[in-house]
Amino acid sequence: MFIFNNTTSSSSGFLLTAFPGLEHADVWISIPVCCLYTVALLGNSMILFVIVTERSLHKPMYYFLSMLAAVDLCLTITTLPTVLGVLWFYAREISLKACLIQMYLVHTFSFLESSVLVAMAFDRFMAICNPLQYAVVLTDMMSLVIGLIIFIRQVIFMFPCGLALSNVSFRGGQELSHPFCYHPDVIKYTHSNPWISNFWGMFLQLFLNGTDLLFILFSYVLILRTVLTIVTPRKQQKALGTCVCHICAVTVFYVPMITLSLAHRLFNSTPRVICSILANIYLLLPPVLNPVIYSLKTRMIRQAIFQLFQFKSSRRPNMRGLRRR
């Protein structure tokens, strides 16, 4: 709780807003939002369960996919209480400490997802550009080391953020633009000059997400160069086909993130409802689409899910027979 030792506010907290100007439609908006949260929770839980229980999926590619599903699941759970609370019960008020905890977790899991996408890009690079070295380099131990590096990286960069927040005082009672606490939105209501905190947030996003995105793009440049050297068109399509899911995951994560960041920090005249829609897309779209994309496009995942449901359906008649006996 070091984040909150010296953090003060002139009021009890902030007021959350689902979609500014559309408050009269909150109940109707909550229906598709609730469906999306359900898909995100069930989809990522299913991916995690299948990878953990199916021994044939105990490979580096699926280890990284399980990391992505775990991060998406945590990100969904972080925003779920306040989003549905605002839409269903009009519970807009959030305490300062709860707001800062949520803001810290949202950005931590967001940076984690970016790092996991880099690890997945490295996996695709090794599989296509160095297939003979893939099994030698990407062992189970190396996957664990990559996971530890990702974790340590987050601690190194997010720990100073907690220390910085410990000396920031906020003007409570202000209305936020989102149904959750988002750094560029909250930091506007500090008693001190928000430019320093805003600059630090922008620096972290550019350094962490920017370097991650550059590494991913560089990996795909090398992958594309390797694929173009393949003579057979069918093998080219097969090689690129293994990257489709990851490309989709990168797109649905980075495009909304960059758009939302620009809308908050550079285009101050952006309507609040637009910022709110972008924020919900940014935090909800990847957890919803990632399990759907990987379930549809990855044959091993799809087969494992089918086998799981077949096993459950075959157990029910057996259980009924035992009860009759």
Side-chain angles (χ1 to χ4, degrees):
M1 299 299 290
F2 67 91
I3 298 177
F4 312 110
N5 288 341
N6 299 318
T7 306
T8 58
S9 172
S10 60
S11 184
S12 58
F14 294 105
L15 296 176
L16 302 173
T17 307
F19 296 93
L22 301 175
E23 288 82 1
H24 60 283
D26 279 353
V27 176
W28 296 106
I29 294 173
S30 69
I31 296 174
V33 170
C34 184
C35 291
L36 291 174
Y37 270 108
T38 302
V39 171
L41 291 171
L42 293 180
N44 288 291
S45 299
M46 178 67 70
I47 294 288
L48 269 176
F49 180 78
V50 165
I51 293 175
V52 170
T53 56
E54 184 60 45
R55 294 185 62 86
S56 62
L57 299 179
H58 293 178
K59 299 176 182 178
M61 173 183 174
Y62 302 108
Y63 291 151
F64 297 139
L65 177 57
S66 66
M67 293 180 195
L68 183 67
V71 172
D72 281 339
L73 198 59
C74 292
L75 192 58
T76 302
I77 294 172
T78 299
T79 59
L80 175 65
T82 54
V83 172
L84 295 186
V86 172
L87 291 174
W88 281 356
F89 308 109
Y90 204 64
R92 298 182 60 199
E93 188 171 351
I94 183 171
S95 67
L96 179 64
K97 292 185 177 181
C99 184
L100 292 180
I101 289 174
Q102 187 182 54
M103 181 179 71
Y104 192 80
L105 291 177
V106 163
H107 290 282
T108 298
F109 290 131
S110 178
F111 290 139
L112 268 174
E113 180 152 354
S114 179
S115 300
V116 173
L117 289 173
V118 173
M120 298 174 79
F122 177 68
D123 173 81
R124 291 299 84 207
F125 165 75
M126 289 298 300
I128 295 174
C129 299
N130 297 286
L132 298 178
Q133 296 293 321
Y134 181 83
V136 177
V137 175
L138 276 176
T139 59
D140 291 350
M141 181 57 66
M142 180 56 69
S143 301
L144 178 61
V145 170
I146 292 174
L148 288 175
I149 290 172
I150 291 173
F151 175 76
I152 293 170
R153 183 190 188 215
Q154 302 309 309
V155 172
I156 290 173
F157 284 99
M158 295 306 293
F159 186 78
C161 294
L163 294 178
L165 282 174
S166 65
N167 295 314
V168 176
S169 58
F170 293 88
R171 301 192 303 272
Q174 303 294 328
E175 186 177 73
L176 303 179
S177 303
H178 310 302
F180 50 84
C181 295
Y182 184 62
H183 178 265
D185 197 25
V186 174
I187 210 67
K188 295 185 296 186
Y189 302 114
T190 60
H191 287 295
S192 57
N193 188 354
W195 184 87
I196 298 175
S197 298
N198 204 23
F199 174 79
W200 175 248
M202 191 69 173
F203 168 77
L204 271 183
Q205 196 157 42
L206 286 174
F207 182 76
L208 293 178
N209 295 138
T211 53
D212 289 347
L213 184 57
L214 287 175
F215 186 89
I216 292 171
L217 292 175
F218 181 67
S219 298
Y220 274 103
V221 168
L222 298 177
I223 289 171
L224 187 60
R225 189 182 68 175
T226 302
V227 169
L228 291 177
T229 61
I230 300 175
V231 178
T232 310
R234 181 176 292 182
K235 289 185 178 179
Q236 286 183 342
Q237 293 177 1
K238 185 178 179 181
L240 289 175
T242 61
C243 301
V244 170
C245 295
H246 183 252
I247 292 172
C248 292
V250 170
T251 302
V252 299
F253 176 76
Y254 281 103
V255 171
M257 181 199 70
I258 294 171
T259 306
L260 178 63
S261 182
L262 291 175
H264 264 292
R265 291 187 170 93
L266 298 182
F267 306 119
N268 295 325
S269 59
T270 305
R272 291 176 62 205
V273 67
I274 300 298
C275 288
S276 182
I277 292 172
L278 288 173
N280 282 281
I281 290 174
Y282 163 51
L283 291 181
L284 196 52
L285 194 64
V288 170
L289 290 185
N290 286 341
V292 175
I293 292 169
Y294 277 95
S295 299
L296 293 176
K297 296 294 292 183
T298 307
R299 181 175 56 86
M300 295 287 289
I301 294 290
R302 191 168 61 248
Q303 287 179 349
I305 293 175
F306 285 154
Q307 288 174 2
L308 178 65
F309 282 110
Q310 287 175 358
F311 176 72
K312 286 187 174 181
S313 61
S314 64
R315 281 190 62 185
R316 288 176 183 173
N318 294 335
M319 291 297 293
R320 289 174 184 172
L322 289 172
R323 287 174 184 172
R324 287 173 185 174
R325 290 177 188 176

